[in-house]
Amino acid sequence: MDTLFSLRVFREVVRQGSFTRAAAKLGISTAMTSKHVSHLEKHIRAKLLQRNSRSLHLTEAGAEYYRRCTEALETLDTAAERAAGGADIPQGQLRITMPMWFANAHFCGHLAEYRRRHPQVTLDLILDNRKADLVAEGIDLALRVSTDDLPPGLIVRPLCGIRFFLTAAPAYLAARGTPAAPQEAARHDFVLPSYVDMGSVRITRGGESFTLAPPAPIRADNTLMVRKMVLAGCGLGYLPEWTVRRDLESGRLVRLLPDWHILTATLYAVYPDRAFLSAKVRSFIDFLCRQTKTDGEAV
């Protein structure tokens, strides 16, 4: 028999003071109600109720068991209510892993707006270029940027395309000249990321294409470091629009070959299971999907 349900039957019998009334309340037969109580007594090897045709009373062991049983069932009921509420109302801690370069003013503005809309959700942000094991590490959601399809076994939702621009610092261009064509850019020094292969990038304009495979005297495993080195005048660099938008607006960086399409990578929301998706995860994905419509290219 279902011992948990037997506990609920026992609690109801005590509350109603009657097997018959408890049975009616639970929607089972009186005989089944008696079987559930007998099942508990056999399970704990103690008499819980003294009963005859007119009344029933808790034994000493039964009174203590009823108190503990009631506390346990109330704890379980509260936990179930809170868990069910988490499926309807965004609340609780949301653990998200994302690339390190998401530590930029533009994306942080999105996070701040999400918190304003959903103050019951707390954010635990994990910035890492590696692809974390979401299940093993207890992570609710991953934000991943890729130009290729992601591996199977995960639920993947594309959000938007993030454009990469070819940029350089004004001081570098003043010293080395501003490339007006891809062939000229290919002769310049580049600062490239080391965690992804960007040593050869095909750029396009209309029906034209050109493969940039420039020298890269500096590589870094952090896009934010690549940006800093480009700002310092160390060379040209491919950088996500989100990280350089303010630099371009202020003139700290210059966008090169603006008529050419350099690179667009897709931003994905990745999570381990579609079943019983919590409100906090669902609300964050839906929020990002709306916010990023104007951030990049449609996917």
Side-chain angles (χ1 to χ4, degrees), residues 9 12-13 16 18-33:
V9 171
E12 200 59 41
V13 168
Q16 298 295 330
S18 163
F19 279 81
T20 302
R21 288 195 294 271
K25 186 76 179 288
L26 295 169
I28 60 177
S29 68
T30 302
M32 183 56 69
T33 303

Side-chain angles (χ1 to χ4, degrees), residues 16-178:
Q16 298 295 330
S18 163
F19 279 81
T20 302
R21 288 195 294 271
K25 186 76 179 288
L26 295 169
I28 60 177
S29 68
T30 302
M32 183 56 69
T33 303
S34 181
K35 286 182 180 180
H36 274 287
V37 174
S38 296
H39 167 68
L40 283 182
E41 291 177 330
K42 290 177 184 176
H43 181 68
I44 66 172
R45 292 184 294 179
K47 192 73 172 174
L48 296 174
L49 292 167
Q50 297 288 359
R51 52 195 184 272
N52 55 38
S53 58
R54 293 185 302 276
S55 63
L56 59 85
H57 302 281
L58 285 166
T59 64
E60 184 178 355
E64 175 65 13
Y65 192 72
Y66 172 73
R67 184 176 70 82
R68 298 284 187 179
C69 155
T70 299
E71 290 175 356
L73 289 174
E74 288 176 352
T75 299
L76 287 173
D77 290 343
T78 299
E81 288 172 4
R82 289 181 178 175
D88 299 322
I89 302 171
Q91 59 185 298
Q93 185 185 73
L94 178 60
R95 300 193 75 213
I96 311 171
T97 180
M98 63 189 71
M100 297 180 74
W101 62 265
F102 274 46
N104 62 73
H106 182 73
F107 187 71
C108 288
H110 287 335
L111 296 177
E113 179 60 26
Y114 176 80
R115 281 280 297 130
R116 281 191 287 271
R117 297 186 189 188
H118 302 288
Q120 295 185 62
V121 178
T122 60
L123 300 177
D124 182 3
L125 309 176
I126 305 161
L127 278 77
D128 201 332
N129 287 331
R130 69 184 179 89
K131 290 181 171 57
D133 186 326
L134 304 188
V135 176
E137 298 180 42
I139 297 172
D140 299 300
L141 178 68
L143 297 177
R144 293 182 178 167
V145 178
S146 176
T147 55
D148 304 309
D149 292 336
L150 295 173
L154 297 169
I155 309 302
V156 176
R157 178 174 174 180
L159 298 176
C160 71
I162 298 179
R163 296 175 296 179
F164 280 64
F165 294 157
L166 181 61
T167 64
Y172 174 89
L173 297 175
R176 297 285 303 272
T178 300

